[in-house]
Amino acid sequence: MSNANINRQWRLKTRPKGMVSEANFEYREEPIPTPRNGQILVRNLYLSFDPAMRAWLWDRPSYIPPVGIGEVMRASAVAQVIESKKPGFEAGDFVVGAFGWQDYAATTGGGPVPVTKIPPGVPLTWPLGVLGMTGLTAYFGLLDITDPKAGETVVVSGAAGAVGSVVAQIARIKGCRVIGIAGGSDKCRWLVERARVDAAIDYKSEDVAGRLKELCPKGINVYFDNVGGETLEAVLNNLALHARISLCGGISQYNAEGRVPGPANYLSLLVQRARMEGFIVFDYLPRFGEAIAELAGWVMADEIRIEEDIQEGFENIPKTLLRLFEGKNLGKQLLKLADPPTKR
Ligand code: NAP
């Protein structure tokens, strides 16, 4: 794959049935676009990989429309402005936005979350991770939806992933007892040793229901759900009175074919007078600033430790999406496309 004066792209070729595969995407080369009035032309530097991208491939509307067949695959990215015909942006600015699986994008910068400039001094990957949608999801999904109190027991699934790892550490900062659930001993070791949670459960080799009973003798006050499925059922069987569940995602079901079973024991919510609430991070847009300031403070104070898994190579873009569903990433999954064309 060459990249001289062309815009390399990965477009959606077919909708996946069951597990998404590389064959669902098609490589294309197009001319670099010319920005119209009101647009910027950007060069992508880092791509973000998010489980929601699988849901954007479903043939049904969700909180945003699906990606159409033949369209460039939608993805968040950090980029540098090459040319600007949009007031407020200049060539050389670093920006974050939904620029897609391609080298270059010409865009007005609109959408559910408008393109924003990255302030000087901020490491270029952070606006896709802890200081971007990932960290903001953790922040609002935990603090606004569940209002955790010091001393309460908080359980987090997908705990060694991008969102979960931040949730677990915010809960620790708030003085909660934190139990992370993740796949594999390396991730569980990272959770205890680096993220400093109280205990970790390896759902791939341990009996989750049994371990939750043992680790949460007074029940679970707060559950941050990234995965759904059997883990959610195990948690529902162990709720404390007035428990709160933040329904962030259900990655165990994103690649399912056909109908997925609901939690058989959802009446536990009734018995325990518990609450389960879904949210979409975009809804908190007016409050992003306050959250980013607090998250940045925690990272600078070493209260939140971050991990990034940075893959490389344009040809590896579809493969990198699959890493999320294979559990290969620790922390935020990214792919580096290029160094900045001009220095910061
Ligand atoms: P992530 O957790 O970094 O990556 C995905 C991880 O999910 C994998 O590493 C894997 O970890 C786990 N996983 C994959 N397949 C699984 C399965 N079948 N069962 C259980 N775990 C599985 O991704 P993220 O970006 O932080 O997203 C986490 C969740 O937040 C997702 O559900 C996503 O859709 C949701 N989300 C919601 C919002 C919102 O506004 N509501 C915004 C952003 C993200 P293991 O090795 O532990 O299995």
Side-chain angles (χ1 to χ4, degrees):
M1 292 181 190
S2 62
N3 64 353
N5 297 324
I6 53 135
N7 188 20
R8 298 174 299 176
Q9 301 178 328
W10 282 103
R11 291 173 178 249
L12 181 63
K13 188 172 158 198
T14 51
R15 296 206 181 278
K17 291 195 172 62
M19 182 59 74
V20 59
S21 83
E22 289 180 64
N24 295 124
F25 301 97
E26 180 175 43
Y27 177 75
R28 287 269 286 273
E29 295 184 355
E30 296 280 339
I32 297 173
T34 306
R36 297 192 305 270
N37 276 340
Q39 288 191 323
I40 49 174
L41 174 69
V42 300
R43 168 80 160 102
N44 277 337
L45 307 177
Y46 288 94
L47 296 180
S48 173
F49 290 82
D50 301 278
M53 293 162 81
R54 176 63 185 86
W56 301 340
L57 305 181
W58 290 336
D59 194 13
R60 56 177 188 264
S62 179
Y63 58 97
I64 46 173
V67 177
I69 298 292
E71 286 179 6
V72 174
M73 180 59 194
R74 185 189 297 142
S76 298
V78 156
Q80 189 168 32
V81 177
I82 303 295
E83 187 183 345
S84 176
K85 292 185 178 166
K86 181 179 168 73
F89 290 84
E90 285 176 25
D93 284 346
F94 290 93
V95 289
V96 58
F99 305 132
W101 282 2
Q102 54 189 342
D103 285 316
Y104 297 91
T107 171
T108 57
V113 180
V115 170
T116 50
K117 290 201 236 180
I118 301 173
V122 174
L124 282 180
T125 54
W126 291 11
L128 295 175
V130 68
L131 301 189
M133 289 309 142
T134 293
L136 293 162
T137 300
Y139 185 95
F140 291 112
L142 181 70
L143 299 180
D144 254 59
I145 304 288
T146 74
D147 190 20
K149 303 279 189 307
E152 288 192 320
T153 296
V154 175
V155 173
V156 186
S157 58
V163 172
S165 61
V166 179
V167 171
Q169 295 180 83
I170 297 176
R172 192 231 315 119
I173 292 166
K174 294 292 172 186
C176 301
R177 240 184 102 243
V178 185
I179 291 147
I181 304 176
S185 54
D186 286 350
K187 291 188 179 187
C188 288
R189 193 170 321 111
W190 182 87
L191 279 165
V192 173
E193 292 177 5
R194 290 285 302 160
R196 295 164 287 172
V197 305
D198 295 278
I201 302 173
D202 174 3
Y203 77 90
K204 289 189 173 162
S205 71
E206 295 186 275
D207 161 25
V208 177
R211 290 279 284 142
L212 284 174
K213 258 200 181 71
E214 181 187 308
L215 288 165
C216 314
K218 294 184 189 159
I220 296 160
N221 303 106
V222 167
Y223 175 50
F224 193 98
D225 191 12
N226 282 315
V227 307
E230 289 172 13
T231 303
L232 173 60
E233 283 210 7
V235 169
L236 286 173
N237 280 335
N238 257 295
L239 294 180
L241 207 58
H242 302 303
R244 289 88 70 204
I245 298 177
S246 180
L247 176 48
C248 176
I251 193 169
S252 71
Q253 308 185 357
Y254 293 172
N255 287 290
E257 273 189 275
R259 281 165 63 87
V260 290
N265 55 350
Y266 80 101
L267 288 178
S268 304
L269 294 167
L270 179 157
V271 175
Q272 297 302 85
R273 291 77 154 171
R275 180 167 59 79
M276 181 162 177
E277 185 176 343
F279 71 98
I280 294 290
V281 65
F282 302 161
D283 297 344
Y284 290 93
L285 187 63
R287 293 177 53 201
F288 279 6
E290 66 177 81
I292 289 172
E294 192 155 28
L295 287 161
W298 285 329
V299 174
M300 299 322 286
D302 196 35
E303 289 282 350
I304 290 181
R305 294 176 178 166
I306 58 167
E307 289 290 334
E308 295 172 328
D309 175 321
I310 305 179
Q311 301 292 303
E312 293 199 23
F314 200 89
E315 65 282 9
N316 292 323
I317 290 175
K319 214 180 274 162
T320 302
L321 178 63
L322 300 189
R323 292 176 65 81
L324 297 173
F325 307 108
E326 296 161 346
K328 287 191 173 153
N329 62 304
L330 172 62
K332 179 70 198 177
Q333 184 68 67
L334 300 167
L335 183 140
K336 181 177 175 180
L337 279 179
D339 286 313
T342 60
K343 287 218 159 53
R344 302 187 80 186

